[in-house]
Amino acid sequence: MRNFIKKITHPFLKYALKTYYYKPRKYCYDSICVQVHPKVFPPHLTFSTKILLDFIQTLDLKSKTFLELGCGSGIIALFAAKKEAIVTASDINPIAIDFLNKNAKKNNFSITIVTSDLFDSVEEKSFDYIIINPPYYPKKPKNTSEKAWFCGANFEYFEKLFYQLKHEVNFENTFMILSEDCAIERISDIAQKHLLSFKTVLLNENFAEKNYIYSISK
């Protein structure tokens, strides 16, 4: 049954994106609502954003420095701000950045918002918490929107991410979510190649798939 569900997941997502997600849609969590542009990663149609939000709900973030790297809709960053973290949100997609600026104002949160390819343009390089919902399908993205889904044919996204985490960033806690239908072992191997520890801290299983939250440390 699980294999069948996984086979229909991608065609369903493509159909859903065309029929439901053809215009900006509202997504809400814990009284925070954002408008999400069709060219931004859709939290409505995937499990990962909700799982991360529930996970962050358990964390004491008051006065902690917090980065949502590759923020997409930015609702995770806004929720961290609600929990009184000192928040930075970054994304490579300028549409995501534009919408997050508007959504932050509507929700009355003050956060630092940066257009950046991973850490390239993030000036601050030290954080108590970093949260990552990465692209993990091994295919070269054709445009900026596809970079929310595809990590490059040779996992270039992860090669760069883990190099920067190892050599350019100071952090206390970094958490990444991955689905069972991605190449978790390959991604773990890349982390270990860069001398990073990659450990499971949470398993979320529903009718469609298993999702894992990993802790990354030096």
Side-chain angles (χ1 to χ4, degrees):
M1 180 65 177
R2 184 177 298 281
N3 289 335
F4 173 75
I5 292 172
K6 288 168 72 174
K7 286 179 182 178
I8 69 170
T9 297
H10 294 300
F12 171 76
L13 268 178
K14 290 178 181 178
Y15 175 77
L17 284 167
K18 289 180 180 179
T19 57
Y20 172 80
Y21 205 54
Y22 68 94
K23 65 179 182 180
R25 294 283 185 178
K26 182 186 289 187
Y27 183 81
C28 298
Y29 182 88
D30 195 29
S31 77
I32 299 172
C33 291
V34 297
Q35 290 290 327
V36 187
H37 191 277
K39 292 186 177 181
V40 174
F41 182 81
H44 317 73
L45 304 177
T46 58
F47 299 109
S48 56
T49 300
K50 174 64 163 52
I51 294 168
L52 283 172
L53 286 164
D54 289 344
F55 176 72
I56 292 167
Q57 182 79 262
T58 68
L59 304 178
D60 179 9
L61 297 180
K62 186 173 182 179
S63 301
K64 302 293 186 181
T65 52
F66 181 101
L67 169 67
E68 185 183 7
L69 187 70
C71 62
S73 70
I75 194 165
I76 289 173
L78 296 179
F79 182 56
K82 183 177 180 179
K83 289 176 66 67
E84 300 184 67
I86 303 165
V87 177
T88 300
S90 72
D91 202 281
I92 197 171
N93 187 342
I95 296 174
I97 294 300
D98 179 53
F99 267 62
L100 180 52
N101 272 300
K102 295 174 182 175
N103 286 318
K105 290 178 182 177
K106 287 181 180 178
N107 285 279
N108 296 313
F109 291 122
S110 177
I111 66 174
T112 300
I113 302 172
V114 183
T115 305
S116 182
D117 181 356
L118 291 173
F119 289 95
D120 288 356
S121 300
V122 179
E123 293 185 5
E124 179 61 55
K125 291 294 195 293
S126 181
F127 295 95
D128 295 312
Y129 286 91
I130 301 173
I131 300 296
I132 310 170
N133 188 357
Y136 48 65
Y137 295 113
K139 176 183 174 181
K140 182 178 179 180
K142 296 178 182 178
N143 51 52
T144 300
S145 296
E146 287 196 355
K147 290 182 179 181
W149 300 97
F150 302 119
C151 63
N154 296 303
F155 294 81
E156 289 90 345
Y157 171 93
F158 291 99
E159 293 282 0
K160 181 174 180 177
L161 170 66
F162 293 139
Y163 176 87
Q164 289 185 323
L165 283 174
K166 176 63 178 179
H167 298 286
E168 300 177 9
V169 184
N170 295 315
F171 60 91
E172 292 295 324
N173 304 276
T174 293
F175 297 105
M176 172 188 290
I177 190 166
L178 295 172
S179 167
E180 66 175 334
D181 67 344
C182 74
I184 292 176
E185 186 173 344
R186 175 72 180 275
I187 295 167
S188 176
D189 287 344
I190 297 171
Q192 292 177 38
K193 183 180 77 173
H194 291 284
L195 304 179
L196 294 170
S197 173
F198 198 74
K199 296 181 179 179
T200 307
V201 295
L202 184 142
L203 165 62
N204 181 283
E205 185 171 9
N206 54 47
F207 70 94
E209 65 183 19
K210 294 179 181 178
N211 284 275
Y212 305 85
I213 295 180
Y214 292 90
S215 171
I216 302 169
S217 58
K218 295 185 180 182

